[in-house]
Amino acid sequence: MKAKHQRLTLAILALVALIGAGLLAAFALKDQASYFYTPSDIVAKNPEVGRAIRLGGMVETGSIRKAEDGVTIQFIVHDSEARQNVTYTGIPPDLFVEGSGVVADGRLDTNGIFVAETLLAKHDENYVPRELEGIDMTGVNKTEETLVQ
Amino acid sequence: MIAEAGLIALWLAAALALLQFALGVIGMRADRKEYYAAIRSVAVAQGLLVTISFILLIWLFLRSDMSVALVMKNSASIKPLLYKFAGTWGNHEGSMLLWTAVMGLAGACVALFERSLNTRTLVTTLAAQAFISLGFYAFLLVSSNPFERLSPVPKDGQGLNPLLQDPGLAFHPPTLYFGYVGLSVAFSFAVGAMITKDVGPAFARAMRPWVLGAWIFLTLGITAGSYWAYYELGWGGWWFWDPVENASLMPWLAATALLHSVTVLATRDGLRAWTLMLAVVAFSMSMIGTFLVRSGILTSVHAFAVDPERGSFILALLVIYIGGAMALFALRAGTVKEGSQFEVVSREGALVANNLLLSAILGIVFVGTLYPLFVEAVTGEKLSVGAPYFNIATGPLTLILVAVMAAGPLLRWRRDSAKNLLNRISIPILITATALFLLVLLTTSMSVLALLGMALAAGIAVASFAPLWKRNLRRTPLHTYGMVIAHFGIAVALIGMASESSFTREKLIAAKPGDVVQLDNWTVKFEAVEPLAGPNWTALEARITARYGNGEIHQVNPQNRMFASAQTQTSEAALLTRWNGQLYIVLGEGDNEGRWQLRIWWKPFVTLIWYGGILISLGGLLAMIGRLRRGYVQRRQREYAELTM
């Protein structure tokens, strides 16, 4: 192989690898990226049953119920316009309390209940999940010090 | 006065960085000996001053000086001493000062210890290093002054985020920063070499120990971070593909590629332009990581402050440095001479494959991490990319990469034949095939990826030692041992990952005191829950006994901690480590009927993941020592030869 050719071949190989990676990434993204929904988005866009989505909103005060088995909870996530029933089996995160923000990964089941696989609550009292910024937090005491952590 | 002294030291260091840059630029043109000596001492003084500034900040934290705004917001006088110390970098300003201090120190080390690089390139390198530092000094002094005073002085501070109150904080951020910033040295070397057009084996040999050093720290930092997240978050996972984790993985992938391409440049004078490119990309990834984490556009424990001004500042620095280096590369890549030739089946060929695969994986992680931010900026739609994407997209490439890793060290430089390779690698292939056969036969719960991963790892574990086969072990150079151990570490980590993902057993129950749970070979008995008080927290602690088979009975005590200062709870998982895995127990809430939630995992061989990480770092360390020692010996011999001539 001539000198010029080797450099060219390497450059082409690198390009092919990167394009291949890009295509692989785009292909996987199409299937796997989960879209973020608020309760009113779910009413408006009506995502299909079984599709991985992410739900974010506020936990309605007085809505957390524990099931008989002691490890499943049911609660309602709401925003200013809509409410969504959620069930979760597992130990909820440390800061999962009524009247505060939550982000849940999971799927809608055939009864329209959101089955959460993971729950992310805020990390501490000053933290608001990025997805929840700008959501109307009716009745929520937002502290002034959201900048400090 | 300490705060003022710290600020003055910081300003002086910034002024010296400016001087260092100016001296470098003049020295490059005038090409006179005096400038070389001057720039070296200025670089050392700059490094010392910024380190002093950082030490003074630590001192303020240790003394709980609440008149300093940063201490007030991130510390409290009742906090344990370790967290007062480590809390110095558990916030935005402190961590940026740590970054800048490490950068200054790295520059000082280059000035003090770098003897093999030619002087003109060294001067240019130090100028480039000063130029990068200047941006960070400006950032600290203009928008993130860590020494700002408060008036009136409050009685006590607001405390540190309880999730960060863990010994991990003392270790994980500094090691990671040493890695990130170490890559800035490689970047400055590349910029220096591009300007002086001096790219060749000597340059690569000078750059290699710095790349190795940064890479060792990155590896350790990522390993420590992974273990920390594993036990602190109480989710039982060791890697979440969280954007912040990816921000540390991306520089590591680039640095790993650089480490291998720099070897081609040093040994065979090939891949010149590519190596320069990788050095630029590696530090770009560090900067992008810092931008992602520090700008607050991501939410995570790492995002201390949501402040658009700071985000734009780092973004501007990123554009200037990376854009500048890329432009320089575009201008100079044509003038970099073509390296020497090689066949496809050769050591170089395998290393090129390694580089292409690592770059492809890097691209995939990059796209997955930034895609949601991009989509949100353009369409306003909020979207998240999680583990399924990353596993599907990176998994297959990783398997090919590790297969190449087994073959690469068995190939000769320049040219080799596929037949010879097959001869040398037949035993590992046989082992992989046997392992695959046995795993398919004996297990039911393994995913295709885990199955292939574990079978490959078995073969690689053996293949990694093949380079020592039939060699005189006492005369084998240290860096060869380093490579063997690092590659073996990859196999070990891979087995841990495959085992964790396939064989983990889990149980979630609401238990009354006295209840007994069976999980795999474990008998776990829940005895009681009792209150407990720590220095700045109170806790509920579960008394649990666990027994593996008919073995010894162990006490395990997971806790739920309430922190006084932050009104925050953290759950402290209890871990019981055996040689063949870890028992992981998290305590949840109690209910009115006296039941407590318990989540129990048995994770066979999970610890191999982190032992693998440690082995990889250890391999890197051996290689670095070996290279440095050989460089030193060769230099001494050269000097001796010159003397006796």
Side-chain angles (χ1 to χ4, degrees):
Chain A
M1 232 189 277
K2 286 219 175 93
K4 277 272 156 52
H5 290 157
Q6 182 145 49
R7 183 178 272 195
L8 199 66
T9 319
L10 288 180
I12 290 171
L13 268 179
L15 211 63
V16 168
L18 276 181
I19 291 173
L23 286 179
L24 195 62
F27 175 74
L29 268 182
K30 221 180 91 214
D31 276 2
Q32 304 296 341
S34 54
Y35 286 87
F36 181 82
Y37 289 80
T38 60
S40 30
D41 287 339
I42 290 185
V43 173
K45 296 181 194 160
N46 203 9
E48 54 194 286
V49 170
R51 183 177 154 74
I53 60 172
R54 185 169 258 215
L55 169 74
M58 311 308 288
V59 182
E60 194 169 274
T61 310
S63 75
I64 301 181
R65 303 248 180 290
K66 219 171 233 174
E68 267 306 295
D69 64 0
V71 287
T72 302
I73 49 170
Q74 286 133 21
F75 56 96
I76 293 169
V77 169
H78 73 109
D79 58 8
S80 51
E81 283 144 39
R83 302 160 81 231
Q84 172 66 45
N85 282 303
V86 181
T87 99
Y88 174 70
T89 303
I91 295 178
D94 299 324
L95 279 148
F96 176 78
V97 281
E98 294 180 340
S100 86
V102 68
V103 173
D105 285 330
R107 293 152 214 279
L108 282 175
D109 72 2
T110 43
N111 303 321
I113 294 171
F114 185 84
V115 182
E117 282 147 22
T118 52
L119 284 188
L120 300 169
K122 49 188 194 170
H123 283 304
D124 70 18
E125 82 278 20
N126 294 322
Y127 161 87
V128 179
R130 176 172 68 94
E131 287 91 341
L132 295 184
E133 282 166 22
I135 289 178
D136 182 14
M137 307 214 187
T138 325
V140 180
N141 297 325
K142 215 175 141 189
T143 49
E144 287 300 302
E145 297 162 305
T146 40
L147 293 186
V148 185
Q149 188 172 346
Chain B
M1 281 316 288
I2 302 169
E4 283 68 30
L7 192 58
I8 291 169
L10 196 57
W11 273 105
L12 282 177
L16 282 179
L18 192 63
L19 181 64
Q20 184 180 335
F21 177 62
L23 275 174
V25 173
I26 302 168
M28 224 153 50
R29 288 161 192 271
D31 202 8
R32 279 169 46 187
K33 277 268 180 292
E34 302 88 88
Y35 290 118
Y36 300 157
I39 197 170
R40 278 200 156 138
S41 22
V42 170
V44 173
Q46 192 235 114
L48 278 180
L49 274 170
V50 64
T51 309
I52 288 172
S53 173
F54 182 64
I55 290 172
L56 289 174
L57 186 66
I58 294 178
W59 193 2
L60 288 170
F61 268 87
L62 289 179
R63 284 174 37 134
S64 300
D65 187 340
M66 294 306 166
S67 70
V68 176
L70 190 66
V71 181
M72 195 283 289
K73 283 179 188 161
N74 297 291
S75 197
S77 44
I78 56 162
K79 201 168 65 169
L81 198 65
L82 175 67
Y83 304 127
K84 285 184 183 171
F85 168 69
T88 314
W89 51 80
N91 56 74
H92 168 78
E93 287 84 350
S95 74
M96 287 322 291
L97 184 56
L98 172 63
W99 167 290
T100 318
V102 175
M103 191 141 192
L105 269 181
C109 284
V110 172
L112 278 176
F113 302 119
E114 184 53 62
R115 288 282 174 271
S116 46
L117 197 60
N118 96 32
T119 2
R120 270 195 57 193
T121 309
L122 179 65
V123 169
T124 330
T125 299
L126 286 175
Q129 188 79 5
F131 185 67
I132 307 172
S133 291
L134 272 177
F136 284 93
Y137 284 120
F139 184 44
L140 278 171
L141 293 168
V142 173
S143 78
S144 324
N145 176 10
F147 296 104
E148 203 176 289
R149 289 275 191 190
L150 274 181
S151 169
V153 176
K155 272 213 189 85
D156 203 351
Q158 296 172 341
L160 177 69
N161 181 349
L163 272 179
L164 297 180
Q165 298 198 25
D166 182 274
L169 182 65
F171 184 72
H172 163 64
T175 33
L176 214 48
Y177 271 20
F178 274 104
Y180 276 3
V181 180
L183 289 177
S184 78
V185 177
F187 176 87
S188 298
F189 266 70
V191 170
M194 278 193 272
I195 290 175
T196 59
K197 300 186 190 170
D198 172 41
V199 188
F203 161 76
R205 277 197 293 271
M207 180 159 103
R208 179 160 51 193
W210 299 98
V211 178
L212 263 171
W215 181 82
I216 294 164
F217 277 116
L218 272 180
T219 311
L220 278 178
I222 293 172
T223 308
S226 158
Y227 191 62
W228 188 11
Y230 168 77
Y231 71 74
E232 179 70 29
L233 293 177
W235 299 342
W238 55 274
W239 191 265
F240 302 96
W241 294 107
D242 178 270
V244 173
E245 291 173 331
N246 296 345
S248 69
L249 181 65
M250 290 191 287
W252 186 84
L253 289 168
T256 310
L258 178 59
L259 193 65
H260 290 87
S261 82
V262 87
T263 299
V264 177
L265 183 55
T267 319
R268 296 283 313 139
D269 196 14
L271 304 182
R272 293 175 163 194
W274 175 251
T275 301
L276 291 179
M277 181 70 189
L278 274 181
V280 171
V281 167
F283 183 58
S284 307
M285 289 301 149
S286 297
M287 289 279 295
I288 288 171
T290 310
F291 166 69
L292 288 177
V293 176
R294 287 285 153 267
S295 62
I297 56 175
L298 301 173
T299 38
S300 84
V301 240
H302 300 77
F304 301 120
V306 184
D307 184 345
E309 189 200 332
R310 287 169 175 171
S312 352
F313 205 117
I314 302 182
L315 192 60
L317 287 182
L318 198 126
V319 170
I320 294 170
Y321 296 150
I322 308 314
M326 291 289 183
L328 187 66
F329 180 78
L331 279 175
R332 287 293 165 91
T335 69
V336 173
K337 276 208 213 86
E338 177 76 16
S340 55
Q341 302 296 300
F342 54 87
E343 299 280 313
V344 175
V345 182
S346 66
R347 180 77 69 86
E348 291 97 319
L351 288 168
V352 165
N354 148 305
N355 269 246
L356 290 176
L357 286 163
L358 279 167
S359 309
I361 294 171
L362 173 61
I364 286 169
V365 177
F366 186 81
V367 168
T369 309
L370 293 179
Y371 181 69
L373 299 171
F374 175 76
V375 167
E376 197 184 331
V378 175
T379 66
E381 198 158 13
K382 286 177 174 173
L383 178 134
S384 63
V385 177
Y389 159 79
F390 290 102
N391 290 341
I392 288 173
T394 62
L397 290 179
T398 308
L399 292 184
I400 301 173
L401 179 66
V402 292
V404 173
M405 185 188 86
L410 302 177
L411 285 164
R412 294 210 180 88
W413 293 99
R414 289 194 68 183
R415 62 188 309 171
D416 207 334
S417 76
K419 210 178 127 218
N420 286 345
L421 174 65
L422 270 179
N423 273 336
R424 283 175 223 140
I425 208 169
S426 53
I427 294 174
I429 290 180
L430 208 66
I431 290 172
T432 296
T434 317
L436 195 60
F437 178 73
L438 287 177
L439 286 171
V440 170
L441 207 66
L442 299 176
T443 66
T444 48
S445 60
M446 291 185 87
S447 70
V448 178
L449 207 60
L451 201 65
L452 291 173
M454 186 160 294
L456 259 176
I460 294 160
V462 175
S464 58
F465 286 99
L468 298 177
W469 183 247
K470 286 187 182 163
R471 276 181 86 149
N472 181 341
L473 290 184
R474 296 181 66 184
R475 304 192 69 184
T476 304
L478 201 52
H479 59 81
T480 304
Y481 281 108
M483 175 189 74
V484 165
I485 289 174
H487 286 180
F488 179 65
I490 300 262
V492 169
L494 210 55
I495 291 175
M497 293 169 193
S499 170
E500 196 272 345
S501 78
S502 312
F503 306 131
T504 295
R505 297 285 170 266
E506 181 189 347
K507 223 165 212 174
L508 179 69
I509 48 155
K512 282 194 167 126
D515 281 0
V516 175
V517 186
Q518 286 290 339
L519 182 68
D520 208 64
N521 271 331
W522 287 93
T523 312
V524 178
K525 189 175 181 205
F526 177 57
E527 310 269 4
V529 170
E530 283 163 15
L532 191 79
N536 57 345
W537 44 264
T538 55
L540 289 170
E541 186 177 84
R543 303 248 173 276
I544 294 171
T545 55
R547 188 173 192 192
Y548 189 82
N550 291 322
E552 202 183 330
I553 295 174
H554 299 276
Q555 284 281 340
V556 266
N557 306 311
Q559 296 176 351
N560 268 334
R561 283 189 191 168
M562 273 300 298
F563 282 80
S565 61
Q567 294 292 306
T568 302
Q569 283 191 16
T570 65
S571 71
E572 302 288 315
L575 292 172
L576 193 61
T577 310
R578 277 174 56 88
W579 65 272
N580 61 346
Q582 255 176 347
L583 185 72
Y584 187 125
I585 304 182
V586 179
L587 173 68
E589 290 175 345
D591 64 12
N592 309 334
E593 300 161 46
R595 296 188 299 183
W596 292 84
Q597 293 176 333
L598 283 181
R599 190 163 200 167
I600 310 171
W601 283 277
W602 166 237
K603 292 174 172 291
F605 297 105
V606 67
T607 41
L608 290 186
I609 297 172
W610 305 291
Y611 285 134
I614 293 169
L615 278 175
I616 297 167
S617 321
L618 180 71
L621 186 68
L622 287 182
M624 190 169 82
I625 294 171
R627 296 292 188 193
L628 286 175
R629 204 174 61 186
R630 177 174 275 199
Y632 176 74
V633 170
Q634 282 170 351
R635 212 159 45 240
R636 287 296 298 271
Q637 282 169 348
R638 224 173 20 243
E639 282 165 11
Y640 183 73
E642 278 165 16
L643 274 177
T644 50
M645 252 197 323

